[in-house]
Amino acid sequence: MEWFSGHRDQAAAAPTKLIGREPEIGRLQLFVGRITEGAGDALLLTGDPGVGKTALLDHAATLAAGSGIRLLRATGSQFEADISYAALHQLLHPCLGEIPRLSPLLAGALSVALGLGEGAAPAQLLVAGAVLALLERAAERQPLLLVVDDLPWLDRASALVLGMVARRLAGLPVALVAACRTGEPGFFDQGNLPVVYVESLSEEAATELLTSRYPVMTPRVRRRLLDAALGNPLALLELPVSLGDLARTVAGALPAALPLSRRLQTVFASRVRALPAQVVELLLLTALDGTGDLRLVRAIDADRGGGGLSAAERSGLVRADESSERLTFRHPLIQSAIVELSTSEQRRRAHAELADRLADRPERHAWHRAEATEEPDEEVAALLKEVAIANLRRGDSVGAVTQLLRAAQLSPRGKGRSGRLAEAAYLGSLVTGDLSEAPRLLEQARLAGPGPGDLLSVAGARAFHLLHGDGDVDTAHRLLVTAVHEHDDPYEARDIVVIEVLYTLLMVCFFGGRADLWPPLLDAVGRLRPRPPELLVILSHTFADPARLTPQMLARTDTAVASLSHEVSSARIIRTGIAVAYLDRLSRCREALQRVIQHGREGGAISSAIEALFLLGQDSFHTGRWDEARQLVDEGLHLCEAHGYDLLVWPGRLTGALLAAARGDFRKAAGTARDMDAWAAPRRAGIIGAYASHIRGLAALGQGDFETAFHNAAAISPPGVLAPYAPHALWVFHDLIEAAIHTGRGAEAAAHVAAAREGRLDRLSPRLRLVVLAAAAITDPRTGPSTDTAALEQAIAEPGNDRWPFDLARIRLTYGSHLRRVKRTADARRHLAGASQIFQRLGATPWAERADRELRATGISHSTPATGLAALTPQQRQIAQLAAAGHTNKEIAARLFLSPRTVSTHLYQVFPKLGITSRAALRDALADTGGEEPADSRRG
């Protein structure tokens, strides 16, 4: 088999690693090792076609040759199956020179059997005895391993003799290992011979095999091939070959029936060819239907006189489950083989019949009508577009792209074809992540002659590509605003093209970061009828000007977040997450965002997965899961690079640079800020410039450069002003206050607090309430030894505020420094020591050093270093608790959406912090420090 890279004439080479075959390899190692001890035996490998039996035989041969064992090999052949003793001749050919040394009786019998002499046909038992004698003589010089592949294709005489020989090897330095397909009839008497059942590869092993051979394959294609191959190694390695360039495709879906290579056709189509035409026709209809609807298959079979379904079941190609009313193929590639064996005319007739039978199922009816249609047909194209829109609304964006592309193919020139191509380009970029495909589709849309109704679709697709490809904010904005104004009915809220264009315009306004970009969008949203989509309304408020949200809009936003548990659309989940990013509610969206990421990993919407990774990374930074934040950001940046998302990369790089600044890697933080400025300036992408200012400001605060920090925070929103259309001001509010206090700008700090109180910033989230209370306490000129700061103290101690450990520690540092200056030394020490411990746990070294310097100024030489459970990061604590509960690294990785290697690295760091050296000591160490295992791990 191809996945064994060694050649048979190089059997002495080191064994090539077989992925996912550790149990079988262990069995073979024991089997081969016993040959040299004179404990000869037989072993039979059995499994489905293509499962890797030949690869295991090759591996056994390599092991044997490496141990000084001589190999004799034979493979059954369909073309020699009628020639008596053909396989035996092939197997014993290297030993034929030894035959004359046997007794005359045995030598004569074997010579006649192998066609080397003349005489009466010998009895098979006599031939078996002669073979045993020949093997015993040959093994006197060197132990032997007989390797026989494709047992069912052995000729009858050879199979019977080898079956006898296999049961008579005990006590000889001779062994036989053979392979056959499960359930395949043959003449080899397996009897009670030891059998190894070679199963399909596990999901993990199949993924590793496919990725190792085809590393550049897109996740969506990889997921489809994994589902189709069902762990069959031959299918995993051959399907990408038969797909060709489609293996890297990202636009639309792959064919319903994957094309098969010649080798796969041989494996999976052989049984189909032997069936009657009526049965094959029924199977073709079943394969093209693709749903496994047993009732539909029964109805088709009954209309053809019956009996076809029973014959198909008897062939072993399909299974009927009466309880679920489902008909399934024994292997998905049997379905592909059936389609491959049909002609285009047969497939069109089958689709036409299915369309008629499914007239009451709009989606399936439309798809089958489209597949049965050869020439452009506007009625079918329009029907298919309606299905695409329905699929998009329920979250099947990949299916929607496929249907739009097919609708465009069926559209007559000038009859909506241009618009459908543009919509496919837009959705394809959004869903599949292939920005490079959009220009080709847009050029086709231009050549198709767009009509008045197509211009908005074309403008939306072009603007999306401009924004995410070149980052050309102003051109994208001008293109969209013009197209909306010139559209026949730009305010129809039920027109999905209008709504998607407005969502794109909203993102253009956000990345532009300028107040003058927003009015056309807000005007269009306000004029939508009968009413604008709720999520679009929420986003246009929370993303544009979150500091001025009304209580009613905040309540509507919380309702949208609460509905995410039932949401299936990746786009809606992402848009909801974006809507609440500045409102500190991303933690409530984690489960839904993780679903989007997993969907993307399995081949779903790539751009949505990237945004989900960055949103979760952002939340992990704010909630102190810094190692997790780094991993999420790295994954998202890798996808951006792979798919050419030059704009989406910046939110991820922002989180990475904030992490670097917080942990003291100021060079990396400064480098990212420079990159942002260089990219944003010529494109007038204002929000990216705000990101750069945020990074520089945080890095400056970490270094005690408060003047630089003040100017960068003020560049985002001036002191005393919560600028409209500058949502990032909420993230640097504390930065500005802290920098202003340390640079003697008390009036500016007080003005900023006044603006926050006037805008009721404290009601937006508990974190902002804490920030505003702290800012008010340290800017109040009346604050002194006797000042009542109970509200702030209560907020600091309020349960749940440790959800934002870095913010909490910074507030305690700033507040503690302030308390020291107003001579409340005992209170200052308490807050400064608490801040230092949090900073140490996070690995925020510069900030811990700042806290320690302030502590020394109160008369304490240093803070008490965190030990035991307190020394662990939140993620390390979670991993340690799961490991102590008995979970393996693999199980922990699956639960926490990490890799097993990352889990291992965390545990390596945990042991010294807890003062232990092994996993076995974890439970006691956590018990000593007051740690508890997670509740869900105790329930099992």
Side-chain angles (χ1 to χ4, degrees), residues 112-138:
V112 171
L114 298 180
L116 304 176
E118 296 181 356
Q124 288 170 348
L125 184 59
L126 182 59
V127 175
V131 172
L132 275 171
L134 180 64
L135 294 175
E136 186 174 5
R137 181 172 290 277

Side-chain angles (χ1 to χ4, degrees), residues 477-499:
H477 186 271
R478 185 169 56 253
L479 192 65
L480 290 172
V481 171
T482 301
V484 168
H485 285 163
E486 293 180 355
H487 189 56
D488 290 340
D489 192 358
Y491 307 118
E492 172 53 65
R494 288 162 295 198
D495 186 338
I496 193 168
V497 175
V498 169
I499 300 306

Side-chain angles (χ1 to χ4, degrees), residues 355 400 429 442 580 851 880:
S429 299
L442 287 171
V580 302

Side-chain angles (χ1 to χ4, degrees), residues 46 150 280 360 524 530 562 774 810:
T46 182
D150 287 333
V280 174
D360 59 338
R810 288 184 59 198

Side-chain angles (χ1 to χ4, degrees), residues 455-472:
L455 293 176
L456 189 61
S457 299
V458 174
R462 285 187 60 204
F464 186 90
H465 186 260
L466 278 171
L467 181 66
H468 287 278
D470 302 326
D472 191 341

Side-chain angles (χ1 to χ4, degrees), residues 372-396:
T373 303
E374 287 187 86
E375 301 297 326
D377 187 318
E378 175 58 22
E379 180 186 351
V380 176
L383 192 62
L384 200 55
K385 181 181 174 179
E386 290 179 12
V387 170
I389 292 172
N391 279 337
L392 185 62
R393 284 176 172 149
R394 72 162 187 252
D396 183 12

